[in-house]
Amino acid sequence: MSDTLVVVGGDAAGLSAASKAKREDPEMDVVVFEKGQWVSYAACGMPYYVKGDVPELADLVALTPEEIREERDIDLRTGHEVVAVDTGSQTVTVAADGERFDQAYDHLLIGTGASAVVPPFHGTDLDGVFTIHDMDEADAIERYVTERAPETAAIVGGGYVGIEMAEALSARGLDVSLYEMLPNVLQPFGEAVADVVEDHLREQGVDLHLETAVSGFAGEGRVEAVQLDGGESHAADVAVVGVGVRPNVVLAEDAGIELGPTGAIAIDEYGRTSAANVYAAGDCAENVHVVTGEPDYVPLALTANRAGRAIGQTLTGSPTAIGETAGTAIVKAFDLGAARTGILDEERASDAGFDPVSVTITDATRAHYYPGSEEIQVTLVADRETGAVLGGSVVGRDGAKRIDTVATALHGGLTVTELQNADLAYAPPFSPVWDPVLTAAKVLAGKLER
Amino acid sequence: MSDTLVVVGGDAAGLSAASKAKREDPEMDVVVFEKGQWVSYAACGMPYYVKGDVPELADLVALTPEEIREERDIDLRTGHEVVAVDTGSQTVTVAADGERFDQAYDHLLIGTGASAVVPPFHGTDLDGVFTIHDMDEADAIERYVTERAPETAAIVGGGYVGIEMAEALSARGLDVSLYEMLPNVLQPFGEAVADVVEDHLREQGVDLHLETAVSGFAGEGRVEAVQLDGGESHAADVAVVGVGVRPNVVLAEDAGIELGPTGAIAIDEYGRTSAANVYAAGDCAENVHVVTGEPDYVPLALTANRAGRAIGQTLTGSPTAIGETAGTAIVKAFDLGAARTGILDEERASDAGFDPVSVTITDATRAHYYPGSEEIQVTLVADRETGAVLGGSVVGRDGAKRIDTVATALHGGLTVTELQNADLAYAPPFSPVWDPVLTAAKVLAGKLER
């Protein structure tokens, strides 16, 4: 009899694992339980649906349930919630249509994802107050904007979801205010990026409130105002709360599976949890940081896809490490691209045993005489003693994907001098002779010599 | 008394060394002899001057002679040709204004550059037959196009100069024919790139003649036709010969300085030649290839700049390696960008002791649902036994700078699996979840497993 793989969660990690396992071993029985109706969707695309760049919500779906079932021969069950895992008997308990049943597994993958954090604000039950963490919510906010024609929007949280939603709602014609508790937006991107992005947000008409804590929302049935700590109140016909996510670990925790220091499910290099034959991947699980070698929590799409795929290979007989993460991220903020990788934060670098030195340079994306050149800012951080590159950021109207050069340098363990000597591509339409990343490395190498 | 640095050649390598040395040691006497009148110019920008994208030829000059002399305190002498080097007495013989004089040096940098190869064609002395290897030539061709209003152009050579000039002259309204002896244009970029570029050149109206050898040019005083081996003749009111460059090594050779296997000046990791206190850098010198560890000839701007700068540091007391090259190159071909790095050629890989395996994938530059996504093709080559990445290429309307990820992987010595696991940046406006480079690595890793 062939093995049964049970997958909890029908999104990036779960379906990548299911697809890969089935492709490598067509005899394997693969069952995917998804408690909702949406599967295989691009959560990162939701702001662009609200904005209007993506015509249909269904455009965000990579594979329909029918394709998954018929073309991939995966037993996908939507509307099925796994409510318990018994790691001893190797069974899961599933709730669907008011009934419960048990399903045995030889291999189990927990891909329960993450949920949007909603702080203890008052008034979050008012009409027009949204998070944007699943497709139903994206659909609801789009309809709210279309049908209720709000004129003012309050975005709570200056992370990438907040910034993408600020862009989306501005494009829909709303006056957008953004509230961030910290002194800067995009905190993980560092201050150098934040300064540029904040200026740009203001230029684009976003009313930016930094170091401003929200207490809740007020209105009669529907939201009419956002209220701040201290009592101030601003008009808001619609509100989006995007203050971060937390991993969905209750199922794993209840089954006695170990969590790691970040609060997500602890896994080894193959994605294995503390329970035999139980794997975890995606937004519910930890990862190993390529610079520190320590557990990290990177709830992003690529991490989930890659880990799922690797686990699919591992449990069909080809042990495949899920790889390490660098916390690489990129976000569009109106006309800017902002990107980061590795360790930018001085305190975090010091905690990991490094002596961080950093530079920020401003350069151009093309040769100085070539038309269409844009300003670009690159930050690099390195360890004083070893010269190892620890992290970096890039921000500009063009070329933010240059962060990939820095990310690859982290995976290669390059020093700043080695990065400075990397043979990057130059021609006038594409770069100055010294690519901005090289210029940053050159300046940082000079600083390290002193 | 302070040391004297003599530099032969006032372009990328020479002026980078002179500037760095003077900055690190203001007491040093730095003399730069340049036989022509142009210094510190961006040769790579010349096609864009001819095209009309760059208004003035002088826009290509980074530093004027006055800035070099006054702001950088460098004794720059244009119109001065170094005709001999005596490595025993440490003097150079200089010719200027019909006179000769000797100049002693403590350190000598040979930065004599390269010259355009002109094959033994007949009729190259006709008006309207150009190479485009220096500023005077760029000036002359631009004036010829403006004043003589040619209608048809023959480009000989399908390398990057040929392709950039095809774009430039098409933009000026000429009917352009391009003649290449080999079966493909852009030979060092590999067939996968060439196929895409050739289709695009044809779409853009370039009359492409592959595997076609030119014998010379015909006309009365001025060029009227290009003639092919075999006797065929095509109308051409202007012709540009761009079939490659060769290093200017006569000065070094006559001084008894060793050349390397590529025919360029042999240097060590600090840019030192076989003669004491004599360095060489830029288009006249060899480099070490990061993949093979063998001498290579990469006459490109970044290599020259970086080596010059490193030598300036070395001879002011901070020994600095000039770094290794990967042969990274990028070229704009009308609306396409094409890029390459490392070893793409199977024969060359085999000669270097590798067992090359390659894949070419076609992907999109953005998430499938995000507007403005373009097709992009990535080729990766790896060694079967070790899995080490050996090289790669990228071609597409957008995103050719992604080659930098591959180049950085070469410098980091990454395997295909390690590259596949690199944490590159994803958000819908910038990339699919798996960046096209990662997808290529994923497919190649799968091929290597078999």
Side-chain angles (χ1 to χ4, degrees), chain A residues 24 42 44-46 48 51 53-55 59-62 164 167 298 301-303 305-306 309 313 318 320-332 336-339 341 368-371 400-405 407-409 411-412 414 418-431 433-435 438 442 449, chain B residues 42 44-46 48 51 53-55 59-62 164 167 298 301-303 305-306 309 313 318 320-332 336-339 341 368-371 400-405 407-409 411-412 414 418-431 433-435 438 442 449-450:
Chain A
E24 296 297 318
C44 313
M46 295 185 305
Y48 305 102
K51 185 181 176 191
D53 280 345
V54 176
D59 294 339
L60 299 181
V61 173
E164 287 166 348
E167 178 186 330
V298 178
L302 174 60
T303 308
N305 270 273
R306 187 149 48 195
R309 185 176 185 275
Q313 284 187 296
S318 308
T320 304
I322 62 172
E324 299 180 327
T325 52
T328 310
I330 190 167
V331 62
K332 181 173 180 291
L336 287 180
T341 190
H368 66 91
Y369 52 81
Y370 194 88
K401 267 291 261 179
R402 277 171 157 101
I403 199 69
D404 287 349
T405 301
T408 308
H411 284 275
L414 264 57
E418 288 167 338
L419 178 56
Q420 175 192 339
N421 282 339
D423 192 8
L424 304 189
Y426 160 64
F430 301 98
S431 178
V433 175
W434 292 81
D435 185 272
L438 298 179
K442 189 167 68 170
E449 276 161 24
Chain B
C44 313
M46 297 187 303
Y48 304 103
K51 185 182 176 190
D53 280 345
V54 177
D59 294 340
L60 300 181
V61 173
E164 287 166 349
E167 178 186 331
V298 179
L302 174 60
T303 309
N305 271 274
R306 186 148 49 193
R309 184 175 186 278
Q313 285 187 293
S318 307
T320 304
I322 61 172
E324 300 179 326
T325 52
T328 311
I330 190 167
V331 62
K332 180 173 182 291
L336 287 181
T341 191
H368 67 91
Y369 52 81
Y370 194 87
K401 268 290 261 179
R402 278 172 156 101
I403 198 69
D404 288 349
T405 302
T408 307
H411 285 275
L414 264 57
E418 287 167 340
L419 177 56
Q420 175 192 338
N421 282 341
D423 192 8
L424 304 188
Y426 159 64
F430 301 98
S431 176
V433 176
W434 292 80
D435 186 273
L438 298 179
K442 189 167 69 170
E449 277 163 22
R450 267 160 225 134

Side-chain angles (χ1 to χ4, degrees), chain A residues 2-162:
Chain A
S2 53
D3 275 6
T4 299
L5 165 63
V6 170
V7 173
V8 187
D11 205 3
L15 283 176
S16 295
S19 299
K20 189 66 187 173
K22 194 74 196 177
R23 203 174 311 131
E24 296 297 318
D25 179 5
E27 298 301 305
M28 186 175 280
D29 288 320
V30 178
V31 189
V32 177
F33 295 112
E34 165 56 47
K35 70 177 174 179
Q37 295 303 321
W38 294 97
V39 292
S40 180
Y41 65 91
C44 313
M46 295 185 305
Y48 305 102
Y49 170 67
V50 175
K51 185 181 176 191
D53 280 345
V54 176
E56 304 286 341
L57 199 56
D59 294 339
L60 299 181
V61 173
L63 291 168
T64 64
E66 292 66 40
E67 286 168 329
I68 294 165
R69 290 182 188 121
E70 282 154 37
E71 291 170 25
R72 305 215 167 175
D73 196 19
I74 291 168
D75 183 6
L76 168 66
R77 320 242 194 116
T78 51
H80 281 62
E81 183 175 9
V82 174
V83 293
V85 176
D86 184 333
T87 60
S89 65
Q90 300 208 157
T91 52
V92 298
T93 304
V94 185
D97 305 321
E99 309 271 314
R100 293 195 170 209
F101 63 92
D102 285 350
Q103 164 74 49
Y105 64 81
D106 297 294
H107 317 281
L108 177 68
L109 173 61
I110 299 177
T112 41
S115 297
V117 171
V118 181
F121 295 151
H122 59 261
T124 52
D125 56 341
L126 290 169
D127 277 1
V129 179
F130 299 92
T131 61
I132 174 165
H133 195 68
D134 66 32
M135 293 281 271
D136 292 327
E137 197 106 15
D139 190 36
I141 191 169
E142 199 287 325
R143 276 190 287 109
Y144 197 89
V145 171
T146 300
E147 293 166 9
R148 310 285 283 268
E151 291 178 3
T152 55
I155 312 267
V156 184
Y160 51 78
V161 168

Side-chain angles (χ1 to χ4, degrees), chain A residues 68-376:
Chain A
I68 294 165
R69 290 182 188 121
E70 282 154 37
E71 291 170 25
R72 305 215 167 175
D73 196 19
I74 291 168
D75 183 6
L76 168 66
R77 320 242 194 116
T78 51
H80 281 62
E81 183 175 9
V82 174
V83 293
V85 176
D86 184 333
T87 60
S89 65
Q90 300 208 157
T91 52
V92 298
T93 304
V94 185
D97 305 321
E99 309 271 314
R100 293 195 170 209
F101 63 92
D102 285 350
Q103 164 74 49
Y105 64 81
D106 297 294
H107 317 281
L108 177 68
L109 173 61
I110 299 177
T112 41
S115 297
V117 171
V118 181
F121 295 151
H122 59 261
T124 52
D125 56 341
L126 290 169
D127 277 1
V129 179
F130 299 92
T131 61
I132 174 165
H133 195 68
D134 66 32
M135 293 281 271
D136 292 327
E137 197 106 15
D139 190 36
I141 191 169
E142 199 287 325
R143 276 190 287 109
Y144 197 89
V145 171
T146 300
E147 293 166 9
R148 310 285 283 268
E151 291 178 3
T152 55
I155 312 267
V156 184
Y160 51 78
V161 168
I163 285 177
E164 287 166 348
M165 288 306 297
E167 178 186 330
L169 295 177
S170 288
R172 295 291 298 265
L174 280 75
D175 287 331
V176 174
S177 298
L178 191 149
Y179 303 87
E180 169 59 54
M181 262 175 57
L182 298 172
N184 286 114
V185 300
L186 289 178
Q187 195 272 336
F189 289 65
E191 213 177 304
V193 166
D195 288 346
V196 175
V197 171
E198 287 162 13
D199 285 348
H200 185 65
L201 291 174
R202 290 191 186 99
E203 273 168 32
Q204 295 287 333
V206 175
D207 190 10
L208 203 54
H209 302 265
L210 300 174
E211 297 184 86
T212 303
V214 165
S215 62
F217 306 97
E220 294 289 325
R222 85 177 253 191
V223 65
E224 290 162 25
V226 56
Q227 295 182 315
L228 309 183
D229 267 11
E232 216 176 311
S233 178
H234 298 168
D237 302 328
V238 64
V240 179
V241 180
V243 297
V245 300
R246 70 165 60 98
N248 294 327
V249 296
V250 173
L251 182 70
E253 218 175 359
D254 286 353
I257 291 168
E258 280 176 25
L259 305 187
T262 70
I265 301 171
I267 52 172
D268 73 3
E269 64 177 313
Y270 296 100
R272 294 181 293 216
T273 69
S274 61
N277 302 317
V278 180
Y279 296 75
D283 291 3
C284 63
E286 292 189 334
N287 287 91
V288 172
H289 196 286
V290 69
V291 176
T292 64
E294 297 294 320
D296 194 23
Y297 180 56
V298 178
L300 292 175
L302 174 60
T303 308
N305 270 273
R306 187 149 48 195
R309 185 176 185 275
I311 291 166
Q313 284 187 296
T314 295
L315 49 79
T316 50
S318 308
T320 304
I322 62 172
E324 299 180 327
T325 52
T328 310
I330 190 167
V331 62
K332 181 173 180 291
F334 292 84
D335 299 336
L336 287 180
R340 56 96 58 223
T341 190
I343 301 180
L344 285 167
D345 187 68
E346 291 212 0
E347 200 178 311
R348 188 168 167 204
S350 302
D351 288 351
F354 299 110
D355 180 4
V357 185
S358 73
V359 295
T360 296
I361 61 111
T362 300
D363 199 348
T365 55
R366 303 176 177 208
H368 66 91
Y369 52 81
Y370 194 88
S373 188
E374 297 281 358
E375 203 168 275
I376 186 168

